[in-house]
């Protein structure tokens, strides 16, 4: 009993301290100068202060911004944001970019429960009718932004970019296939045969064996496409969790299964024949693009990537950018055939208000966010002004999805323009909104590129895994008591799996040696994989 009373007293003291801290940090009307101090990344095309969209929304919502800016370099921006919070010299509001400096879920929960980030749900209910409607329209979005304590401390991004949903696509040189009289492969062994022909049969016709049959980059793992013929491979990358899947409601590490081992053995066999460029496990995107843009002869036969302009420059003088078409997921020996799928839910916090803001500033800021989740607000904030970045659709235009009525036509964006917030304004991107844009029907022109990606993604859609397999990492909220431990376990296990896979593929470890495989499994156990899976299971079970 005494123990319970003591816990209650400590809790009361903590709550009182938090309340005092919030009161101390909340400016009075007399103290506040009427400026909304806002933290955000700033590009090299002009200042946020002078940005045309900034000026537009300042007038529209009677906001006077005072910007604390950083760069689009993620490490620099993230550090500056963390320093601002640690020092106590933080702004009234954060306007962040997911791939630059957005809040992690651990940070959202930490600073929200400390009272630094304010709950937004009451503001949304009263002043953000469009955002409220969007949450009703996309319940997964509302679920993802609602912390376990019931509060919404940050607004995240909802993006149903269709082609982004299938990030691990194989793009193959169709001109080479035609030169050799070959069809696109449909199985793992047909893929091997095509890659052999690319390597040995001089498809570029220069009389030199300089072809690279298959490559990729470390940022978009080549393993994913190939592994999907043996076991489902979740989204992976340098900052991603290790590959986890669901099996009968139980969280599993896919990278320990017999099927995963079989996939690695197949990939190793490609590498041992010189059919797979092993630099794909270490090189960055620039190195991959150097292969695609090789001066003189075209040498890249295929690559695993989100889209081909990542590895070949649009409107190349010799037209090679038009040569790459997506190959649907190939089937493995037992018929396994998956496509890696990415959720439209982004768990990283883009917008948050702090306890330094006044009530008036909070209302104005949430009204601005409400505008950004309208179709017009997204076009203006993320794209730019009408007539400069986009124009309304006219009679005869065809939408990206021909079954939808076209609504707007994007124009070629001037990268030097300082007229929009671009990524900092991208909160809302529904499938219907995105697919209603006007896109030319010439899929091999830069203007028709989005249609080319749509058609490619339609080849992958039938192989999306069902929810019984997908591990919903983007929906999980950390437990304050175990979040630090879980983060360390995740980093160590993910890094080890990535390293070991590359070593198995390149032959530094023998994938066909039972002892080598067992040593790999033992190493994972030593890194705490059992504890890691238990903690992830607890977070998953908390969703129910």
């Amino acid at each position: 009993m005494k123990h319970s009373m003591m816990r209650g007293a400590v809790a009361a003291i903590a709550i009182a301290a938090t309340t005092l801290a919030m009161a101390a940090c909340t400016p009075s009307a007399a103290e506040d100068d009427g400026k909304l101090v806002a933290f955000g990344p700033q590009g090299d095309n002009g200042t946020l202060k002078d940005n045309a969209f900034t000026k537009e929304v300042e007038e529209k919502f009677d906001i006077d911004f005072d910007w604390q800016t950083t760069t689009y370099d993620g490490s620099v921006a993230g550090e500056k944001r963390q320093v601002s919070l640690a020092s106590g010299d933080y702004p009234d509001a954060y306007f962040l970019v997911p791939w630059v400096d957005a809040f992690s879920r651990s940070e959202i929960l930490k600073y929200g429960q400390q009272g630094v980030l304010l709950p937004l749900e009451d503001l949304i209910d009263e002043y953000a009718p469009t955002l409220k409607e969007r949450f009703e329209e996309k319940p997964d979005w509302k679920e993802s932004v609602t912390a376990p304590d019931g509060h919404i401390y940050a607004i995240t991004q909802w993006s149903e970019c269709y082609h982004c949903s299938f990030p691990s696509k194989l793009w193959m040189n169709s001109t080479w296939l035609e030169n050799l009289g070959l069809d696109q492969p449909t199985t793992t062994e047909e893929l091997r045969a095509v890659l052999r022909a690319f390597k040995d049969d001089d498809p570029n016709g220069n009389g030199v064996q300089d072809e690279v049959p298959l490559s990729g980059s470390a940022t978009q793992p080549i393993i994913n496409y190939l592994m999907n013929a043996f076991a489902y491979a979740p989204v992976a990358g340098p900052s991603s969790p290790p590959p986890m899947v669901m099996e009968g409601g139980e969280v599993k590490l896919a990278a320990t299964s017999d099927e995963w081992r079989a996939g690695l053995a197949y990939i190793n066999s490609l590498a041992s024949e010189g059919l797979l460029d092993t630099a794909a496990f270490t090189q960055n995107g620039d190195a991959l693009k150097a292969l695609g843009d090789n001066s003189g002869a075209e040498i890249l036969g295929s690559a695993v990537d989100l889209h081909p302009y990542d590895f070949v420059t649009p409107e190349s003088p010799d037209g090679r950018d038009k040569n790459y078409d997506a190959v649907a997921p190939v089937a493995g020996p037992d018929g396994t055939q998956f496509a890696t799928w990415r959720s439209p839910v982004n768990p990283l916090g883009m917008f948050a208000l702090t306890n330094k803001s006044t009530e008036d500033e909070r209302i104005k800021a949430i009204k601005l966010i409400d505008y950004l989740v309208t179709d017009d607000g997204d076009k203006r904030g993320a794209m730019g002004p009408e007539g400069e970045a986009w124009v309304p659709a006219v009679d005869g235009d065809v939408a990206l999805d021909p079954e939808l009525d076209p609504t707007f036509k994007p124009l070629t964006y001037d990268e030097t323009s300082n007229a929009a917030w671009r990524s900092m304004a991208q909160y809302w991107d529904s499938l219907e909104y995105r697919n209603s844009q006007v896109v030319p029907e010439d899929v091999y022109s830069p203007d028709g590129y989005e249609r080319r990606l749509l058609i490619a993604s339609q080849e992958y859609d039938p192989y999306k895994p069902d929810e019984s397999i997908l591990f919903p990492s983007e929906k999980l909220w950390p437990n304050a008591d175990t979040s630090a431990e879980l983060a360390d376990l995740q980093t160590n296990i993910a890094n080890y799996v990535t390293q070991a896979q590359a070593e198995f593929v390149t032959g530094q470890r023998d994938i066909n040696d039972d002892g080598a495989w067992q040593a790999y499994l033992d190493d994972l156990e030593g890194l705490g994989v059992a504890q890691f899976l238990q903690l992830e299971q607890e977070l998953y079970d908390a969703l129910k």
Side-chain angles (χ1 to χ4, degrees), residues 210-221:
D210 55 356
E211 290 84 358
V212 178
L214 172 61
S215 193
S217 70
T219 53
Q220 300 193 51

Side-chain angles (χ1 to χ4, degrees), residues 268-286:
N268 165 258
S269 72
L270 297 181
S272 65
E273 284 193 57
L275 308 179
L276 166 62
D277 177 19
T278 55
F281 295 96
T282 55
Q283 69 186 2
N284 61 20
D286 290 340

Side-chain angles (χ1 to χ4, degrees), residues 233-257:
V235 172
S239 60
S240 299
M244 289 181 290
V245 294
M246 300 304 302
E247 190 176 296
E250 187 174 350
V251 181
K252 297 282 189 179
L253 181 62
T256 60
S257 69

Side-chain angles (χ1 to χ4, degrees), residues 383-450:
M383 297 177 66
E386 180 180 345
E388 180 180 321
W390 59 275
V391 292
V394 297
D395 289 345
D397 282 340
V398 178
L400 180 59
D401 181 347
E403 296 185 3
L404 296 176
D405 291 331
T407 57
F408 68 98
K409 179 181 180 179
L411 303 177
T412 301
Y413 184 72
D414 177 4
E415 294 295 337
T416 66
S417 170
N418 191 28
W421 282 3
R422 303 292 281 163
S423 298
M424 202 172 75
Q426 290 180 318
Y427 290 85
W428 171 250
D429 202 9
S430 74
L431 191 64
E432 299 80 4
Y433 165 63
R434 186 183 183 89
N435 286 0
S436 69
Q437 66 180 298
V438 176
V439 178
E441 296 184 82
D442 179 1
V443 299
Y444 294 106
S445 70
D447 289 343
Y449 191 56
E450 193 73 27

Side-chain angles (χ1 to χ4, degrees), residues 60-61 129-131 134 141 367-382 425 427-429 433:
K60 186 178 182 70
F61 297 102
T130 305
L131 180 56
R134 298 304 194 203
W141 192 15
K367 286 182 175 181
L368 166 57
I369 297 299
D370 195 59
Y371 172 60
L372 291 175
V373 299
T374 65
D375 291 351
D376 287 341
D378 181 85
K379 286 199 293 286
R380 180 61 194 90
Y427 290 85
W428 171 250
D429 202 9
Y433 165 63

Side-chain angles (χ1 to χ4, degrees), residues 293-503:
D293 283 345
N294 181 66
S295 61
E298 186 176 6
I299 63 171
L300 184 60
S302 56
V304 172
D305 205 291
L306 175 63
H307 59 90
Y309 284 178
D310 270 352
F311 58 84
V312 63
T313 298
E315 298 187 290
S316 298
D318 60 2
R320 68 179 65 177
D321 55 302
K322 300 178 175 64
N323 293 346
Y324 295 92
D325 293 301
V327 177
V330 293
D334 65 356
T336 299
Q337 198 171 12
F338 287 116
T340 296
W341 182 78
R342 188 198 305 275
S343 168
V345 175
N346 190 319
L348 301 177
M350 292 177 64
F351 169 77
L353 287 168
T354 77
N355 55 10
K356 291 194 175 185
S357 60
T358 65
E359 183 68 18
D360 183 58
E361 290 165 345
R362 295 165 197 166
I363 293 170
K364 292 175 180 178
I366 204 69
K367 286 182 175 181
L368 166 57
I369 297 299
D370 195 59
Y371 172 60
L372 291 175
V373 299
T374 65
D375 291 351
D376 287 341
D378 181 85
K379 286 199 293 286
R380 180 61 194 90
M383 297 177 66
E386 180 180 345
E388 180 180 321
W390 59 275
V391 292
V394 297
D395 289 345
D397 282 340
V398 178
L400 180 59
D401 181 347
E403 296 185 3
L404 296 176
D405 291 331
T407 57
F408 68 98
K409 179 181 180 179
L411 303 177
T412 301
Y413 184 72
D414 177 4
E415 294 295 337
T416 66
S417 170
N418 191 28
W421 282 3
R422 303 292 281 163
S423 298
M424 202 172 75
Q426 290 180 318
Y427 290 85
W428 171 250
D429 202 9
S430 74
L431 191 64
E432 299 80 4
Y433 165 63
R434 186 183 183 89
N435 286 0
S436 69
Q437 66 180 298
V438 176
V439 178
E441 296 184 82
D442 179 1
V443 299
Y444 294 106
S445 70
D447 289 343
Y449 191 56
E450 193 73 27
R451 190 176 301 281
R452 182 178 175 186
L453 300 181
L454 174 79
I455 292 169
S457 301
Q458 289 171 339
E459 296 292 315
Y460 281 67
D461 204 294
Y463 306 104
K464 171 188 170 183
D466 62 46
E467 291 190 0
S468 66
I469 297 173
L470 291 167
F471 176 68
S473 59
E474 73 283 350
K475 294 183 180 181
L476 303 187
W477 282 89
N479 180 313
D481 296 331
T482 60
S483 62
E485 178 188 8
L486 183 60
D488 287 343
L489 288 168
Q490 174 173 298
T491 298
N492 293 337
I493 292 168
N495 287 344
Y496 180 75
V497 167
T498 299
Q499 175 188 337
Q501 286 180 159
E503 292 171 353

